[in-house]
Amino acid sequence: MHLDPQGPILVIGPGAVGTLVAARLATAGHDAVLAARDAVSARALAAGLVAVDPAGREIRASVPVVWRRQDLAAAPRMLVLATKCADAEAALAAWLPGLAEHAPVVAMQNGILGDRLKPLAGERLVECTVSFPATLDGPGRSLQTAPGDLHLGPWPRAGPRDDPSEFKAVARVLSDVAPVTGSSNMLGVKWTKLAINSCITSLGVVAGQPLREILQDRKARRIFLAIFEEAYAAGRADGVRFERIGRLRAGMFGRRWPGRDPLLRIVARGYGRHRSSSLQSLERGRRTEIDWLNGHIVAAARRHGADAPVNAAVVALVHDIEAGLRAPDPANLAALPV
């Protein structure tokens, strides 16, 4: 992995995160290029990008948008993969041949995809967890609804072949997007974020509401904690050493932690305005990321002969919503076994 001083930074995926990343890089003076899914999506972004910070301040950026590898004017010096989990491998395989030979590949997926992306990207892979919530408010317009960092490092954990200076070079570039925290244990970071997303994103689909409204319901709070408890148990059984993200440590949600209710209020303040990205996907006619979130927890638990019944029920419920058998509604919470 080597970050060249010349060449554009290719951001793949014009969703909430990709739009923020591309707009902020361009505003900071980087040569950023945004890759869209197809020509129709590319045309919808022709007017430029808008990124809004948690205080409501807007930045506007004119960023070239491409949808085919042959449209790149030069080989990118870095690739930022900001697609949904389902699209990540295909998008990386499609765009990777156009990349400079040793250019870093920064993966910003919600799920735990490092083992699937590493065979494609090799030692160039830099895993990155986005700890701030963002909402796509229309084509090319993204709202960051609370503060947060980017956490990045090697996959799955730092080893003797990893060069810290190369990761620091990537961090310096991405610090123009958000504060950057380096980690030698990205597996633990990813699992903590997985547990958070499996509560916030998935319950947003189930209830069809922002998190602040969901957590006003007592049963919803019990469900939230049960999802997190099962995630923590499954990860620990898988040998994961969970890492802190911001003010949150996964162990805080364990059954014996005395301050769980106040902690839920902290989560509601930080993510209360957030609208589930999977709910937005549904509204655009696309599937959710449920199989990469709660489904991953269920699979990890079963590998060790355990169950994750609340997460399994959430997966089944969201599949029903995807199939049109239910609609997102707070009444769906009654179907969950808590």
Side-chain angles (χ1 to χ4, degrees), residues 40-206:
V40 174
S41 299
R43 284 195 295 271
L45 299 167
L49 307 180
V50 179
V52 184
D53 71 11
R57 294 182 294 261
E58 291 187 0
I59 59 168
R60 296 177 178 271
S62 178
V63 176
V65 182
V66 297
W67 62 279
R68 299 172 301 185
R69 197 171 69 234
Q70 57 265 39
D71 294 333
L72 290 169
R77 65 187 182 112
M78 186 166 87
L79 183 152
V80 176
L81 188 65
T83 65
K84 296 293 187 183
C85 292
D87 302 324
E89 290 172 87
L92 181 56
W95 290 95
L96 197 59
L99 211 57
E101 184 178 2
H102 301 291
V105 173
V106 181
M108 293 186 172
Q109 278 62 51
N110 282 330
I112 300 175
L113 297 185
D115 288 344
R116 298 169 71 164
L117 300 178
K118 190 74 175 271
L120 293 170
E123 298 304 316
R124 298 191 282 177
L125 180 64
V126 179
E127 272 289 356
C128 183
T129 292
V130 181
S131 73
F132 56 79
T135 297
L136 193 65
D137 194 36
R141 181 179 174 85
S142 181
L143 314 178
Q144 180 181 340
T145 54
D149 298 352
L150 299 173
H151 299 252
L152 62 83
W155 180 260
R157 296 183 175 92
R161 297 181 58 188
D162 294 308
D163 182 355
S165 65
E166 296 293 353
F167 290 95
K168 288 178 180 177
V170 174
R172 282 193 294 271
V173 172
L174 292 179
S175 66
D176 287 324
V177 174
V180 176
T181 300
S183 176
S184 59
N185 177 22
M186 283 304 297
L187 180 62
V189 173
K190 284 283 183 178
W191 259 93
T192 299
K193 183 65 188 303
L194 174 76
I196 294 169
N197 277 329
S198 294
C199 300
I200 294 172
T201 301
S202 301
L203 289 182
V205 175
V206 169

